[in-house]
Structure formats: C-alpha cells, structure tokens
C-alpha cells in the first residue's frame, strides 16, 4: 500500500515513536502493500534511510540479501549494504562496524536462528548494533529466524501435533535484543501454540509472543507493542499463574499450567508490555 | 491397568461421585490399562453393569459396536447391547427404549458428529437417555464424535494452520447433554486450539474444553471435572474477556480476544466448572 495510506491507517504510533524494533513472523508481504517493510523503512528515515541487511541466518545469503536490497532500493533508501557475514571473523570486520556507525536501520533476514546466533552472538557487530538500538539511535527489524533471536531465551526448534510437553520445544540462547520476551514465529501457520505454551512454562516470567506470517509486533520506545500486518499476535502472560508442574514434569508428560492469560491481538491493537495490559 | 491400581490412583473421585459423564478425546486406550473405559465400566456398576453401545456416529457401526462389546464383555459386564440405530425410525424403537430403561450405562462411539446428531437429535431414544443421565441414574460416555455432541453448540468440523478466524470452524447444534460447554477432541493431536479459540469467541459464555486423545474429562455430579488418561485437558474460560471483535469480524479476518483465561490440566487435576476454578 502507498506510504500515505499507511500513515492514514496508523497515524499515531508511526509518528509518536522515535525508534522501533519490528519483530516479524516471517513471510511478510514483499510485493503488494508491503505494510510491514514500509514501516521499517519509515522508521529508518524514509528517503534518508541507510539500511544494513544481515542475511546470515540463511544458507543462501546472497540471494536473500539481494531480494531485500531491491525492496528497500525501490522504496527509495539513500544507501543500502548487505552485511554478508559468513563466519565469526567477519562479524568483527571494520568495514561492517563503520557502516553500522552510520546506518539508520538494520534488517535481520530469515533462515536458521541457531546459525544466526552462532555467527553473531557476542561479536563486535551485534554488540554495536545492540548498543545503537538501545540508545534508540536506529531501527531494527527481524523476520522469521531474525525474529526468533530477539529474546535472551530462544525457541530453536520444535514440533506440533502433541500436547504441551518438554520434548515439544528446543530452547537455546538468543541475541537478547528485547529482554523479557520469548518469541515464536510462523505461529498459527505452523500450529505452534502448543510449543510456545511448553516454552513459557519453562520461563513464566517472560512474555510469550507468537507472531503469524505477514504480521509484526512493533516494539516502540514507549514500552508499547503495536500490531501491524494481516495475522494474529498471540500473547501468553504467565505472570499470574497459580500452578505449573514444570520443571518436575518428565520430558514427555503433559505440562500443567493453571490461570494463564491469553490475548489474541491483530492490526491496530496496542499492548503495554511493561504493565502487561492492553492500551486500547 | 488393573482396577485396583485405578482405585489407588484416584480413590476420591471414583468413590465420591455417584454418576458421571465421561467426555473422551478419541483414541482411548483399548488394549493395555484401559483406564478411561474401565472408569466408565465402574461407574456403570462394574460386574452388574448393563451397557448400551450406540455406534451410530460411525459408517461401520457393526464393526465398532462389536469392538466395544468385546471390551466391556471382557471386563465382566452383566449385559451389553449394541443399539445399532441407522435411521431415525430406529431411534423410536420400543426394544431400544426398553433396554435403556433397564441399563446402567450408555456409550457413544466415534465417527461423524453430524451423522450422530442427524440420527439421534430429538428422538425418543436420546430423550430418554438424557432424562436418565440428568436424574443421575446412569453413566454416559462419548468418545471423539461422541464427545463432540455433548454441548448445545457443537464443533462440526474445521481446519488448522491459520490464525483464529470464523472460517476456521464449522459450528452446529449438538445433543445438549452438558449445557454450558463447547467441546473439541483429538485436540493437540490435530492442532485444534486455534479452532476452539475461534468457536469460543462466538460463544464466550460457554466453557471451552479441548480434550486430547486417550484423555477424558469426567463430569461428576458435584459440578467437578476430573481429568483421566494420558494427555491434556485444555480449558478456555472467556467469562472475563474485556474485548472481542466477534461478530463484527469478517469471515477470514483475525479474531481478537483480550484477557482470556487458559488452563492446561492433566491426570488427577480437578476443576469446578460451575465456579470456574481449580479445586486442587
């Protein structure tokens, strides 16, 4: 959809927030309205945007890097660079650090979240990106695997078709970009509610966030999450649960959780994730 | 498992309740411990049980009727009869009504819940069964399609792999055996949480109950649900939701629900479904 239309649909949040982290559930629209990618482009400065694309989650980094390069070029970004980091040495390269210093937005593509973490965790490149994101100097977006790495705790894999149980989900360490959240993506598309329930029982203090394809949880600098895109944002709030059998439960036994709060949010909904309540 | 072992595991609820409705998520154990079927057998009077099997949901009623006949015969029931109702005329047959008058338990097999309702709804046979169940004179069990028909509102079909939306679930009228509930079965096995969320948004006053395979929600005469079997009983309590976009939401748009309560229960958990709270 044209930029003006997006602004008409979401005038408040797009203008109020100065910086944002866009956590995208994968398969975001790249052809038609491109609502989510356009929002990232706007947060990165629009025609003045200097965007770095990190395709390291993918096994075809050239191909996927090029695809996003084209999209942001077509939108009119001032400068774009694919930071094609394929080993940990490259995640210290001065040329990348120099680019990050001058950029206004960083985009993490999809692929394999374990690969992305293996290449980036604790490297100068990700440390500098994190520092600039936390200083609210740049926008950040991650889609699919790039969304999965947002928390300190990460869902690395798992399956479906079973009741919530410890074997249903593989947990690992993420990049810790947004502390306090546990993200899953391709959410209803791949029937992942049972695995997020399993994961959140292990970390009930974290906010569970399940993001559908072509859907975005936009974290802005006022502690708010605004939903963009076509699908559902599912929030699991385990802060007030009265009982769980985790961690005593054995690997394949059903996990018990009593009194979990669940929200189904979609386009335009706003949630305060520090106060843990709906804003509108 | 042997009868004595079941009694050791669940002494309280099996002895305290005088009658029960066993709502089974399908694919219950028919070979090894048979915990769920044994519980139904005990509630029907054990060695004095007179059990009627209604296989009408199935397109192979002889086969499935025979299978349950064998199981209850092996357990030692005093008398068993397959009420092989294949058209609505047979659902008024005096021989069936006479049997129901003297029976202690009725078992509804799996198959197609629409077929079962088409054959039984508002017939003398189901009316007499309901009257005797409500008078707490007999035990009742239904598995799979036989579980789906328990509420006044019934999930007749649906799919998965999409966010909760109106198109994801087909709703119809059930047999109204347990007013106030909306049942889904083969629950996590077939990834049905999104469709139950969709259904409960249409009827937020009902208690949503998702039952896994080889798992049973046992409704006893003290307003309690006790969980038997190996899987999870998922309870969706929408009584205190603060917002939903149903029914304004169009057929394929994401359904919004704010502040839904969710419980994951399993073996031994007890829930008071009138007070809507966990008992232990």
């Amino acid at each position: 959809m044209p930029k003006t239309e997006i602004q008409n649909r979401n005038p408040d949040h797009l203008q109020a927030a100065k910086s944002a982290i866009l956590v995208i559930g994968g398969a975001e629209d790249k052809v038609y309205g491109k609502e989510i990618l356009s929002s990232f482009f706007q947060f990165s400065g629009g025609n003045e945007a200097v965007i770095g694309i990190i395709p390291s989650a993918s096994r075809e980094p050239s191909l996927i890097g090029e695809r996003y390069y084209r999209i942001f070029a077509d939108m009119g970004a001032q400068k774009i660079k694919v930071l094609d980091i394929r080993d940990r040495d490259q995640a210290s390269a001065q040329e990348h650090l120099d680019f990050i210093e001058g950029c206004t937005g960083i985009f993490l593509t999809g692929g394999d979240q374990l690969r992305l973490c293996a290449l980036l965790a604790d490297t100068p490149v990700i440390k500098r990106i994190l520092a600039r994101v936390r200083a609210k100097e740049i926008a950040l977006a991650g889609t699919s695997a790039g969304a999965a790495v947002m928390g300190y705790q990460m869902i690395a894999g798992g399956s479906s078709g079973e009741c919530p149980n410890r074997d249903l989900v593989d947990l690992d360490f993420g990049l810790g970009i947004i502390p306090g959240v546990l993200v899953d993506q391709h959410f209803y598309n791949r029937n992942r509610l049972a695995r997020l329930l399993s994961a959140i029982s292990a970390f009930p203090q974290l906010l569970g966030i399940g993001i559908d394809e072509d859907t975005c949880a936009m974290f802005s600098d006022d502690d708010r999450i605004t939903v963009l895109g076509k699908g559902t944002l599912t929030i699991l709030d385990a802060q007030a649960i009265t009982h769980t059998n985790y961690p005593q439960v054995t690997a394949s036994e059903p996990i018990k959780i009593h009194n979990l709060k669940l929200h189904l949010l979609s386009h335009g909904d706003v949630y305060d994730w520090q106060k843990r309540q709906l804003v509108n």
Side-chain angles (χ1 to χ4, degrees), chain A residues 44-178:
Chain A
S44 300
N47 292 333
E48 292 170 13
V50 178
I51 294 174
I53 298 164
I54 299 182
S56 307
S58 175
R59 294 200 172 275
E60 298 191 291
S62 303
L63 209 69
I64 198 166
E66 174 66 17
R67 184 152 194 211
Y68 283 103
Y69 187 103
R70 277 282 132 238
I71 291 169
F72 297 127
D74 288 348
M75 287 181 182
Q78 188 191 101
K79 193 173 174 190
I80 310 165
K81 181 176 161 71
V82 178
L83 308 182
D84 192 354
I85 295 163
R86 301 191 186 196
D87 60 47
R88 285 182 65 88
D89 280 350
Q90 292 174 321
S92 310
Q94 194 58 45
E95 62 161 328
H96 294 330
L97 291 169
D98 289 344
F99 183 85
I100 291 164
E101 216 54 52
C103 79
T104 61
I106 292 286
F107 192 92
L108 305 173
T109 74
D112 175 352
Q113 52 263 48
L114 283 170
R115 181 181 162 84
L116 185 58
C117 288
L119 287 172
L120 283 193
D122 297 321
T123 61
V125 157
I126 196 68
K127 281 182 179 169
R128 190 61 198 133
I129 290 170
L130 279 188
R132 295 207 66 203
V133 168
R134 289 187 179 143
K136 306 183 194 310
E137 294 169 355
I138 63 172
L140 177 71
T143 186
S144 190
V149 300
M150 289 289 171
Y152 280 119
Q153 301 295 337
M154 174 175 84
I155 294 180
S159 61
S160 64
E162 289 175 23
C163 69
N165 70 82
R166 292 175 68 162
D167 275 353
L168 197 64
V169 64
D170 299 322
L171 292 164
D172 213 308
F173 290 105
L175 294 179
I177 297 163
I178 311 177

